[in-house]
């Protein structure tokens, strides 16, 4: 986050006309000297950092490669043959993770927002709704996800209800949505409550109803503020989609599991791990970009 | 200037310390054996009760938790009941360790094969011997010839299957890391992707719930499940051995373990004097034959 800030917030976006003097500015000799000195210090710091990174890297490499168990570890965790075998299977499984992420992600956002709004409603008449929403978030945030999945994926079909699916993927997706919408509801609620009361007061004094104030003034500010934690939850959800394999569905990790079990070689796990990381990095960059953009918007005219 | 020098000095000192650490790390470890072959068995090597075990004078045997019937009884390997518990104690006796000198350890299936220091002497956990797995661990000789069987609910269409071809259109499931799953993928080759479960318990639940039509487990487990756990299921049939060689369970030892040859000798001796057959009869006697699916 801060990295992006330094890059973009360091200099104001565009020239703002007020700051320009009438005469062209000529930097003094002292200033030029000072800047040159600063640059040389920066160069030196970079060189030292590069050198120490290189040394650290070499040392770590040597420690690992000269470890007594390295040949066997290499064969067990970094075997090219098993990596080649596992990669297509892992990708096939990853498609399930991605589909779950998209569907559950959308459902979680909608449900989470509804619960958050229900919790922040004012007026005594809404008490049961508020209490229900609070109970829901308390329960599903506290319940370990794996147990939630067990109950939904293996318990619901045991009821033998007509018209209820027994598909482990659908059931697993439902369990994920239940847990994550509780998390996301709390994120939204924090966002709604972080909007300054004066905003609501101003909206009301302009003649907006409670609902309109929420819809047009409070929520837009709240959602914008909550983007980073929301994306954080999304990345977390992406990794947890793999847990639906509890019901027998084959996701990326389970696909790796199958090969590991047969061969007792752990390389497929490494492959699956790297594939997940590769999927998370673009999302993280996207989060940073959104945050930076919002910072720029809020700090129009440059940061102080 | 002196600032940079200090930084450089620091870097150099760090490097020195690290290199020292490397040097220490390189020191050969007595436990590590470069040879892939287990050491030749001599009369000396397998002195009764005096093997080079993890804990001297004790034999540490690992298995997964929970321990399932009919391999173990009441989930307690200690009681000597159940086929694998009995085999473990028979092997221990053959190696010269009394019941009191046997220590059980619970080690998850996957962890038993991870490289690195082993905390046990051997692992007994219905692990099938295969050439591929021999690259990662040592096996004793086989102590049980195992067959894979298909279970389905009595009223399902899968229960009427008479051949492997009849199972092609059926939703099958099995536990991950088992040869059962390999049989589904390599022998049946079903049209629908088989379900893979972390534990047999989940496979049983899925069968009960109708999330899969049939599951594949080894034959003794199949008899136990249909007799005691999922009573409205029945054994549809068993598979023939792939490639004509019988599939066998073996004891798992660390790759290049000094004990492999002694443990193998013990298992061989137990097979020859009929102990294994007797134990099998005692604990797996209901594992009579099921129809063979061709």
């Amino acid at each position: 986050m801060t990295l992006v800030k330094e890059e973009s917030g360091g200099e104001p976006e565009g020239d703002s006309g007020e700051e320009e003097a009438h005469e062209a500015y000529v930097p003094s000799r002292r200033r030029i000297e000072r800047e040159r000195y600063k640059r040389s210090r920066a160069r030196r710091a970079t060189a030292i950092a590069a050198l120490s990174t290189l040394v650290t890297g070499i040392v770590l490499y040597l420690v690992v490669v000269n470890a007594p168990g390295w040949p066997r570890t290499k064969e067990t965790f970094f075997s090219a043959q098993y990596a080649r075998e596992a990669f297509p299977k892992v990708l096939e499984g990853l498609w399930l993770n991605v589909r779950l992420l998209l569907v559950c992600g959308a459902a979680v956002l909608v449900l989470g927002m509804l619960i958050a709004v229900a919790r922040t409603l004012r007026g005594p008449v809404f008490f049961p709704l508020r209490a229900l929403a609070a109970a829901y978030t308390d329960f599903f945030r506290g319940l370990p996800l794996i147990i939630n999945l067990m109950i939904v994926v293996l318990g619901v079909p045991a009821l033998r209800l007509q018209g209820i699916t027994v598909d482990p993927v659908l059931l697993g997706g439902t369990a994920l949505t239940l847990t994550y919408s509780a998390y996301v509801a709390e994120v939204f609620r924090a966002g709604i409550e972080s909007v300054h009361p004066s905003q609501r007061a101003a909206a009301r004094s302009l003649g907006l109803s409670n609902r309109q104030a929420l819809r047009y003034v409070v929520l837009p500010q709240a959602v914008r503020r909550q983007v980073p934690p929301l994306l954080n939850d999304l990345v977390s959800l992406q990794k947890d989609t793999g847990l639906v394999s509890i019901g027998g569905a084959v996701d990326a990790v389970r696909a790796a599991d199958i090969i590991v079990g047969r061969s007792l070689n752990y390389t497929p796990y490494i492959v699956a791990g790297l594939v997940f990381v590769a999927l998370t990095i673009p999302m993280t960059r996207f989060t940073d970009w959104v945050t930076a953009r919002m910072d720029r918007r809020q700090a129009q005219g440059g940061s102080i | 200037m002196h600032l940079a020098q200090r930084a450089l000095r620091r870097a150099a000192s760090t490097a020195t310390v690290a290199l020292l650490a490397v040097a220490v790390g390189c020191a050969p470890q007595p436990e590590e054996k470069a040879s892939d072959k287990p050491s030749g068995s001599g009369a000396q090597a397998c002195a009764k009760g005096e093997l080079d075990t993890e804990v001297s004078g004790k034999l540490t045997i690992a298995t997964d938790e929970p321990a399932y019937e009919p391999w173990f009884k009441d989930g307690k390997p200690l009681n000597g009941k159940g086929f694998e518990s009995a085999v473990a104690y028979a092997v221990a006796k053959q190696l010269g360790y009394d019941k009191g000198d046997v220590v059980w350890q619970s080690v998850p299936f996957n962890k038993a094969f991870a490289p690195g220091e082993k905390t046990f002497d051997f692992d007994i956990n219905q692990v099938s011997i295969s050439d591929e797995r021999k690259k990662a661990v040592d096996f004793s000789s086989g102590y049980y010839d195992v067959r894979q069987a298909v279970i389905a609910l009595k009223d399902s269409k899968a229960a009427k299957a008479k051949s492997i071809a009849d199972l092609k259109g059926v939703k099958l499931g099995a536990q991950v890391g088992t040869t059962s799953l390999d049989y589904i993928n390599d022998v049946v080759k079903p049209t629908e992707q088989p379900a893979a479960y972390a534990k047999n318990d989940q496979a049983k639940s899925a069968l009960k719930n109708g999330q899969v039509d049939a599951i594949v487990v080894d034959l003794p487990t199949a008899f136990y499940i249909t007799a005691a756990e999922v009573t409205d299921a029945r054994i549809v049939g068993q598979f023939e051995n792939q490639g004509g060689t019988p599939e066998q369970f073996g004891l798992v030892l660390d790759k290049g373990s000094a004990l492999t040859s002694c443990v193998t000798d013990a298992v061989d001796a137990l097979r020859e004097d009929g102990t294994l057959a007797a134990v099998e009869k005692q604990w797996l006697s209901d594992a009579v034959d099921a129809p063979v699916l061709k």
Side-chain angles (χ1 to χ4, degrees), chain A residues 41 44 48 51-52 55 59 62-63 66-69 72-73 75-77 81-82 85 92 150 153-155 157-160 166-168 171 245-250 254 257-266 269, chain B residues 1 3-4 7-8 11 15 18-19 21-22 25-27 29 32 109-111 113-116 118 130 132-133 135-137 139 153 176-177 181-182 185 193-198 202 205-206 208-211 254-255:
Chain A
R41 298 300 300 175
R44 177 171 296 158
I48 291 172
L51 182 74
S52 87
V55 169
V59 166
L62 288 174
V63 166
N66 288 311
R72 213 184 132 190
T73 307
E75 184 40 45
T76 311
F77 287 89
Q81 174 210 335
Y82 283 113
E85 185 193 347
E92 213 176 294
M150 280 269 186
V153 175
L154 301 173
L159 296 171
R160 310 224 164 245
V166 294
D167 183 339
L171 290 167
S245 63
I246 210 166
V250 179
R254 183 50 54 87
D257 251 341
I258 290 170
I259 302 172
V260 171
R262 192 199 68 224
S263 64
L264 309 187
N265 186 297
Y266 290 72
Y269 283 150
Chain B
M1 200 64 224
L3 248 176
L8 272 171
L19 284 168
V22 173
C26 284
Q29 290 192 326
E32 285 291 331
F109 181 83
N110 254 347
K111 195 166 173 293
F113 317 114
K118 292 282 183 293
S130 79
E132 192 175 21
R133 287 177 170 181
K135 289 186 219 153
V137 291
F139 284 104
L153 295 181
V176 164
L181 196 58
D182 297 338
N185 286 322
Q193 188 183 39
Y197 299 95
Q202 287 148 14
S205 304
K208 275 192 221 168
N209 293 337
Q211 288 166 309
D254 194 5
K255 183 94 186 134

Side-chain angles (χ1 to χ4, degrees), chain B residues 6 10 16 48 54 67 73 126 186 228 251 284 290:
Chain B
R6 208 186 310 163
R10 214 177 292 136
T16 323
K48 290 254 181 209
E54 282 298 319
K73 212 152 176 64
Q126 304 121 63
D186 304 341
L251 306 173
L284 307 177

Side-chain angles (χ1 to χ4, degrees), chain A residues 13-299:
Chain A
E13 298 290 298
D15 300 8
S16 36
E18 306 126 12
E19 283 170 20
E20 244 182 297
H22 291 295
E23 293 169 38
Y25 166 67
V26 182
S28 69
R29 219 163 30 149
R30 187 173 289 177
R31 175 162 183 174
I32 291 171
E33 190 62 37
R34 191 165 54 224
E35 281 178 351
R36 187 185 304 145
Y37 175 74
K38 272 186 179 162
R39 273 199 300 273
S40 81
R41 298 300 300 175
R43 268 202 302 274
R44 177 171 296 158
T46 311
I48 291 172
L51 182 74
S52 87
T53 308
L54 191 71
V55 169
T56 311
I58 291 171
V59 166
L60 277 177
Y61 174 80
L62 288 174
V63 166
V64 170
V65 170
N66 288 311
W70 170 244
R72 213 184 132 190
T73 307
K74 185 178 160 194
E75 184 40 45
T76 311
F77 287 89
F78 305 101
S79 146
Q81 174 210 335
Y82 283 113
R84 268 196 301 275
E85 185 193 347
F87 190 65
K89 295 247 163 73
V90 165
L91 276 192
E92 213 176 294
L94 190 74
W95 176 227
L96 176 72
N97 295 102
V98 172
R99 276 179 304 165
L100 270 169
L101 174 69
L102 293 175
V103 174
C104 292
V108 160
L109 285 179
V110 173
L111 200 61
M113 177 55 92
L114 286 176
I115 295 163
V117 170
R119 268 197 92 164
T120 49
L121 286 174
R122 280 135 195 267
V125 70
F126 293 119
F127 177 78
L129 204 55
R130 280 201 300 271
L132 212 65
Y136 177 91
T137 46
D138 284 354
F139 181 76
F140 280 106
R141 276 205 310 169
L143 185 70
L145 179 58
I146 198 93
I147 292 172
N148 180 2
L149 276 159
M150 280 269 186
I151 293 167
V152 175
V153 175
L154 301 173
V156 170
L159 296 171
R160 310 224 164 245
L161 291 166
Q162 281 297 316
I164 298 277
T165 179
V166 294
D167 183 339
V169 176
L170 289 176
L171 290 167
T174 308
L176 283 172
T177 307
L178 287 173
T179 293
Y180 270 87
S181 58
Y183 287 137
V184 167
E186 286 300 279
V187 171
F188 277 136
R189 188 169 70 99
I192 290 169
E193 287 177 355
S194 74
V195 175
H196 200 275
S198 64
Q199 295 283 327
R200 190 191 289 269
R204 298 284 285 140
S205 66
L206 287 173
L208 273 69
S209 70
N210 232 334
R211 181 181 307 183
Q212 285 171 319
L214 189 71
R215 160 80 183 76
Y216 294 106
V217 177
V218 179
L219 280 186
Q221 296 185 67
V223 169
R224 206 170 296 159
R225 225 171 262 186
Q226 293 322 98
V227 165
L230 280 177
L231 282 167
N232 207 5
D233 275 342
L234 201 66
V235 173
S236 171
L237 171 66
Q238 174 207 307
K239 294 196 294 285
D240 280 346
T241 49
L243 293 175
V244 301
S245 63
I246 210 166
V250 179
D251 78 304
V253 178
R254 183 50 54 87
D257 251 341
I258 290 170
I259 302 172
V260 171
R262 192 199 68 224
S263 64
L264 309 187
N265 186 297
Y266 290 72
T267 312
Y269 283 150
I270 302 281
V271 173
L274 291 177
V275 164
F276 268 110
V277 171
L279 197 65
T280 310
I281 286 174
M283 277 178 78
T284 316
R285 287 294 141 262
F286 176 68
T287 316
D288 287 354
W289 177 78
V290 169
T291 316
R293 188 162 145 262
M294 277 175 8
D295 280 348
R296 277 204 303 273
R297 274 193 183 170
Q298 277 178 351

Side-chain angles (χ1 to χ4, degrees), chain A residues 5-6 8-13 19 295-296 298-304:
Chain A
K5 246 175 146 164
E6 276 168 16
S8 67
E11 57 234 30
E13 298 290 298
E19 283 170 20
D295 280 348
R296 277 204 303 273
Q298 277 178 351
Q300 270 172 356
S303 54
I304 301 160

Side-chain angles (χ1 to χ4, degrees), chain B residues 109-126:
Chain B
F109 181 83
N110 254 347
K111 195 166 173 293
F113 317 114
E117 283 291 298
K118 292 282 183 293
T119 53
F120 53 81
D121 296 315
F122 65 78
D123 180 274
I124 182 162
N125 195 12
Q126 304 121 63

